[in-house]
Amino acid sequence: MSLASHIAQGSCRTSRLTHINDLPVLTLKLGRIDRQIMIVMIPFCRSIEEADRVLDTLAQNGLRRGERGLQVYVMCEIPSNVILAKSFAARFDGFSIGSNDLTQLTLGVDRDSAELAALFDEQNAAVEWMIRSVIGAAHEAQAKVGLCGQAPSDHPEFADFLVGCGIDSISVSPNSFVAVKRRVAAAERRQDHERQHGAAVAW
C-alpha cells in the first residue's frame, strides 16, 4: 500500500497523563475500544529508562504492549529519540516524528519567538538528517514511522524528501490535504520509475 493512502487529515495530538491516578480511568475507556485499531502514543520520552517506566506503568494498569493486539508508539521529538533510535525501536511498535518540536530542539530555536522565526526551518540539513536517521533505524527494527507537524503542509516539496526517506505515513492540516496527497503520489510514481529504470540498466 502506498504512502499516498496513509496521509491523515488533522493535527497531531497526544493526551498527556498529568497524574498516575488518571491511568485506571484511561484503561476503562480504552477497554471499550478494539485494541487492534488503537495505538497508544507516548509523548516527550527523554530516555530509555523513562520508556521502560512508562511501559511498566501502562502494563500494571492493563495496557500491556502486544496484549490483544495493543500497539504502543513513541513520539520522536527530541534528539535523544534519534540518537538512541535502535533502543527505542526495541521497546515500541513505531515512531511518530513531531517535526515542530524536533526542529526546535535540534536547532535550539524557540518556534514561538518572532525574533528567531527565520531560523526555524524543518528543511534544515540537521533536521533532515535527524528524520532520515530515525526512519532508517526504525525500519531496520521493522518499526513503522509517521510524521506529524506543519512541514508537509507549509512546504509540499518536503513530502518529496519524506517519500525518499521511506516514511510510512504523514499527518497534514485539512486545507493542504489534497495538495500534499497529490505531491506524495507523484513522488512515489517518480521513485517507482527510477527503480524500474535502474533495475533495467543493471540487468
Side-chain angles (χ1 to χ4, degrees), residues 104-183:
Q104 174 175 250
L105 295 173
T106 297
L107 300 180
V109 175
D110 181 357
R111 65 181 180 179
D112 295 322
S113 170
E115 188 176 346
L116 300 176
L119 300 176
F120 185 88
D121 180 13
E122 298 99 328
Q123 298 181 90
N124 179 278
V127 179
E128 290 191 343
W129 184 91
M130 288 281 188
I131 292 172
R132 188 183 300 108
S133 295
V134 74
I135 292 173
H139 285 171
E140 282 183 17
Q142 298 185 325
K144 297 289 187 181
V145 190
L147 181 138
C148 62
Q150 281 299 113
S153 299
D154 293 344
H155 311 288
E157 68 276 10
F158 192 67
D160 296 347
F161 164 72
L162 295 174
V163 170
C165 291
I167 201 159
D168 299 298
S169 63
I170 301 173
S171 175
V172 298
S173 59
N175 63 335
S176 64
F177 174 73
V178 174
V180 175
K181 187 177 179 71
R182 288 174 177 168
R183 186 91 187 199

Side-chain angles (χ1 to χ4, degrees), residues 1-31:
M1 190 174 291
S2 71
L3 171 60
S5 63
H6 283 82
I7 299 179
Q9 295 187 57
S11 59
C12 179
R13 298 177 181 175
T14 302
S15 296
R16 300 174 185 239
L17 299 179
T18 57
H19 195 278
I20 196 67
N21 290 336
D22 293 333
L23 275 170
V25 176
L26 177 65
T27 302
L28 178 62
K29 291 180 179 179
L30 296 184

Side-chain angles (χ1 to χ4, degrees), residues 40-45 51 72-76 81 88-89 92-97:
V40 174
M41 189 79 71
I42 306 302
F44 233 78
C45 190
V72 183
Y73 277 38
V74 64
M75 290 291 295
C76 177
N81 299 142
F88 279 106
F92 294 98
D93 298 290
F95 296 81
S96 179
I97 301 170

